Amino acid sequence: MSEKIVLLTGATSGIGKATALGLARKGFTLILPVRNFEKGEKTKQEILAQYPQTKVHLFECDLASLSSVKRFAEAVKSQFPYLHILINNAGVWKNKLTFTQDGLEQTFAVNHLAHFYLTLLLVDLLQKSAPARIINVASDLHQGDIHFADVEFRKHYNGLNAYKQSKLANILFTRILAEKLKNSQISVNALMPGFIATDIFEDLPFFLRWLIPFVAKSPEKGAETTLYLATEPHLRVTGEYFKNKQRASSSHQSKNMQTAQKLWDLSVQMLQQKGFQVPNL
Ligand SMILES: NC(=O)c1ccc[n+]([C@@H]2O[C@H](COP(=O)([O-])OP(=O)(O)OC[C@H]3O[C@@H](n4cnc5c(N)ncnc54)[C@H](OP(=O)(O)O)[C@@H]3O)[C@@H](O)[C@H]2O)c1
């Protein structure tokens, strides 16, 4: 195949690492933003040990820092003529209220806002490379609503609620971005990887954590739907939610386009308040 370039966040662990290996097996060139370069280098060596021909480009990028996201996006745009697939996979689940370098609540900032910003910064490169795909790793835990009155749960933080809201944000972003890009050749879809044994649960209390290896599936299984959305040649849908490599239903709230636009506006406003401009779409 002619060179196909994929940018994947969160490749150093869990579902992301299994996705990176799956993409390497299929011959994709990989751009991997990592917050821990040593861990990133280890991941790169694991990929090269199995698929030595793979081009793996590591970049330092902490999604908990908007200036790091901006620097990374600028580096990608200056070094790569094309980007065919963007996979927004990285995520956190924080049991206690924690803040990023920008002073934002970590779950909302990493799971939603950093990926929102990264995606908008890269849309023109994807456009140039079209047909292109954006894939957002969400979750069936997206139930509930967006808490616009206190989107960062600063008053009453609850790790599960913050995580659920961030995954709902992933789907709302998917739907509204797909709508805004409907006249382009960029598709945008979200997915549920399944209940997968990964490090994302490391912040949970021990009595819940020890159960996970017994009931959850492997990261390889968790990567299947992402790989399907990235590689299925005949995929023509956009703005949809997938599970088990098939279209799946998502919550009523995740289809509310007014909520999606309100979240979009809030995200732009939060970025602007921190001094970051978002390209107009
Ligand atoms: N596991 C499940 O059952 C499940 C179910 C539904 C959805 N998901 C979703 O699947 C995605 C992948 O999660 P996972 O389960 O594979 O978790 P994981 O093993 O903990 O992997 C998370 C990845 O995100 C990266 N990351 C976290 N914070 C970052 C930051 N500030 N900057 C850059 N990278 C950062 C981590 O980097 P480090 O290696 O440096 O920590 C790691 O590579 C997430 O979006 C999650 O919400 C998971």
Side-chain angles (χ1 to χ4, degrees):
M1 86 179 170
S2 58
E3 187 180 34
K4 289 278 178 204
I5 307 177
V6 186
L7 192 163
L8 165 68
T9 67
T12 44
S13 159
I15 297 162
K17 190 190 276 187
T19 304
L21 285 163
L23 291 165
R25 181 161 52 87
K26 289 181 182 284
F28 285 90
T29 291
L30 302 176
I31 302 174
L32 306 180
V34 300
R35 63 173 160 179
N36 176 336
F37 209 76
E38 230 175 86
K39 206 171 167 185
E41 193 55 51
K42 220 175 131 227
T43 302
K44 179 175 172 175
Q45 293 314 324
E46 278 179 59
I47 296 167
L48 293 178
Q50 288 189 49
Y51 308 105
Q53 311 298 334
T54 315
K55 289 185 195 147
V56 184
H57 303 271
L58 278 187
F59 287 84
E60 210 163 303
C61 173
D62 185 354
L63 294 163
S65 157
L66 292 166
S67 52
S68 178
V69 172
K70 184 172 181 224
R71 265 197 313 278
F72 165 61
E74 280 166 358
V76 169
K77 282 160 71 154
S78 70
Q79 292 177 38
F80 296 88
Y82 299 109
L83 176 63
H84 302 98
I85 304 177
L86 168 62
I87 305 177
N88 292 316
N89 164 81
V92 292
W93 179 325
K94 292 283 164 199
N95 231 19
K96 295 210 174 83
L97 179 61
T98 55
F99 295 97
T100 65
Q101 294 179 35
D102 302 296
L104 298 166
E105 187 281 311
Q106 183 139 209
T107 318
F108 187 80
V110 171
N111 295 8
H112 168 65
L113 199 62
H115 284 112
F116 174 88
Y117 186 40
L118 178 65
T119 304
L120 295 195
L121 292 176
L122 294 173
V123 159
D124 53 355
L125 186 58
L126 287 157
Q127 194 99 51
K128 212 177 113 186
S129 321
R133 301 178 183 193
I134 298 171
I135 299 164
N136 295 322
V137 180
S139 169
D140 271 0
L141 278 180
H142 67 268
Q143 310 304 326
D145 221 329
I146 302 290
H147 297 244
F148 285 105
D150 179 17
V151 83
E152 298 175 278
F153 293 98
R154 282 174 190 255
K155 287 192 193 116
H156 302 288
Y157 185 80
N158 173 296
L160 176 59
N161 289 341
Y163 181 79
K164 282 161 67 177
Q165 175 185 260
S166 73
K167 294 290 114 182
L168 173 61
N170 294 157
I171 305 178
L172 289 166
F173 176 46
T174 298
R175 294 208 195 280
I176 194 152
L177 185 62
E179 177 62 28
K180 288 178 193 286
L181 295 176
K182 68 178 180 216
N183 295 323
S184 77
Q185 282 208 74
I186 306 175
S187 67
V188 193
N189 289 294
L191 70 114
M192 160 61 170
F195 179 33
I196 309 299
T198 70
D199 293 349
I200 202 160
F201 302 109
E202 69 184 4
D203 221 19
L204 291 187
F206 178 74
F207 70 93
L208 287 175
R209 231 183 325 133
W210 77 270
L211 261 173
I212 287 164
F214 298 102
V215 287
K217 294 186 174 147
S218 70
E220 291 68 33
K221 193 85 195 145
E224 283 180 0
T225 302
T226 305
L227 289 170
Y228 167 77
L229 288 174
T231 61
E232 169 59 42
H234 304 298
L235 199 75
R236 294 284 177 270
V237 289
T238 188
E240 289 296 337
Y241 184 63
F242 284 76
K243 194 165 134 178
N244 297 324
K245 301 191 275 183
Q246 286 173 356
R247 274 165 77 163
S249 61
S250 62
S251 72
H252 180 65
Q253 288 93 330
S254 77
K255 295 176 185 149
N256 186 325
M257 296 307 273
Q258 277 175 338
T259 308
Q261 183 62 55
K262 203 169 158 189
L263 175 67
W264 181 288
D265 294 341
L266 175 70
S267 306
V268 171
Q269 192 191 333
M270 287 174 85
L271 287 164
Q272 282 173 345
Q273 274 168 1
K274 298 292 172 189
F276 299 93
Q277 296 307 316
V278 178
N280 260 337
L281 270 194

